[in-house]
Amino acid sequence: MSGALALGLTHCGTPRTVTREDPATQVQAAPPVSTDGRVHARPSAAVTEPGLVGLHPLGLGGGKRDGLLYVPRSYRQEHPAPLMVLLHGAMGNAAQMLEVTQALAEAEGLILVIPESRGVTWDHKLATGSEDLAFIDRALTHVFARYAVAKEQLSVAGFSDGASYALALGILNGDLFPRILAFSPGFVHAADPRGVPRVFIAHGDKDAVLPVEKSGRRIVAELGAAGFDVRYLEFAGGHSLPPDVLRAAALWLHEPASPVSAE
């Protein structure tokens, strides 16, 4: 599989279980995207610095925005756990994403790595010198050294701007992330796909921030034409991340991969 995937960019914010629209949004042109965008961290065969369960700051922000690590109570080092990198929307933060997903993490035994963008939103460049990409790489290196992670159960997910970034990050690193979850994404732009990750996309049919016909539906068509295995859920609602959508995503994570061949 090769070639660039590109759609338009719209910024947006925090996931909500209500459907109130957010009028404070801005529309911008999609900036250029590097063909690199590679994450170098990999799960370790042996944990060198065993970590604790529960909620912890990443502790890597250096006085700037940081992020959170959530390890469910069921975690045991002898049983590698699934792990999800979770990306917030524009002007959002890790605490907002944890509030929406903590119950899911406990129910699924899922480790959550929730980094915060270096600025008010993700840079969408995925260039070699990208601060966001470098921070995510550092966060994963930090977690992989402390927790046993099932490498076949790694995923990257996001809401809104974070969903757009998750799509690019996941497609460019499909050899690390076999699954991508994008909740209300605005665009997808990945110039050099690696691997063939499966993709789950959900979008509200009344989304006034990122209208579904110009974003969710369009992205699904774009990815399908490029050969990706895409599951699409269009729900009744606006720019939000409802609990039933999260439940559907969790069920999808348990589904076996259907055979898809990379070209």
Side-chain angles (χ1 to χ4, degrees):
M1 186 181 300
S2 61
L5 302 169
L7 298 177
L9 167 65
T10 305
H11 282 299
C12 41
T14 306
R16 298 181 292 270
T17 54
V18 297
T19 57
R20 177 173 58 87
E21 309 301 350
D22 187 354
T25 56
Q26 297 178 344
V27 178
Q28 300 180 4
V33 177
S34 168
T35 58
D36 182 33
R38 297 289 288 156
V39 173
H40 302 289
R42 291 294 184 273
S44 174
V47 173
T48 57
E49 306 172 52
L52 301 175
V53 301
L55 178 63
H56 313 278
L58 285 175
L60 304 172
K64 299 181 180 179
R65 288 163 57 83
D66 186 40
L68 295 171
L69 168 65
Y70 186 78
V71 182
R73 292 188 296 270
S74 60
Y75 171 79
R76 299 292 182 273
Q77 185 175 323
E78 60 270 24
H79 298 295
L83 180 146
M84 177 182 289
V85 177
L86 187 58
L87 308 178
H88 60 75
M91 297 178 287
N93 58 53
Q96 293 164 342
M97 296 305 296
L98 178 67
E99 181 180 0
V100 176
T101 57
Q102 182 174 347
L104 173 68
E106 276 296 333
E108 296 293 323
L110 181 65
I111 295 175
L112 295 177
V113 179
I114 319 178
E116 292 177 336
S117 59
R118 303 298 77 206
V120 296
T121 192
W122 307 97
D123 58 28
H124 293 293
K125 297 172 186 175
L126 290 178
T128 304
S130 161
E131 289 188 41
D132 286 332
L133 178 63
F135 189 72
I136 290 170
D137 209 348
R138 286 177 60 209
L140 285 174
T141 298
H142 174 82
V143 173
F144 290 158
R146 290 161 175 79
Y147 298 92
V149 172
K151 63 180 181 179
E152 71 280 2
Q153 292 180 281
L154 283 165
S155 59
V156 58
F159 174 76
S160 196
D161 252 20
S164 299
Y165 200 67
L167 283 168
L169 188 67
I171 290 171
L172 292 171
N173 295 276
D175 51 343
L176 175 64
F177 300 112
R179 308 234 179 176
I180 305 168
L181 301 95
F183 303 106
S184 304
F187 77 103
V188 55
H189 198 157
D192 187 16
R194 302 288 185 96
V196 191
R198 298 182 68 205
V199 184
F200 179 95
I201 294 177
H203 216 109
D205 61 357
K206 298 178 180 63
D207 193 330
V209 177
L210 291 170
V212 65
E213 65 276 7
K214 295 181 180 179
S215 46
R217 293 175 189 168
R218 187 178 176 191
I219 292 169
V220 169
E222 186 92 359
L223 292 176
F228 287 91
D229 179 358
V230 183
R231 175 70 55 82
Y232 180 52
L233 173 60
E234 188 168 307
F235 60 91
H239 198 62
S240 61
L241 182 44
D244 58 337
V245 171
L246 276 176
R247 286 192 291 269
L251 289 173
W252 174 81
L253 282 172
H254 288 292
E255 290 182 7
S258 55
V260 178
S261 60
E263 296 179 0

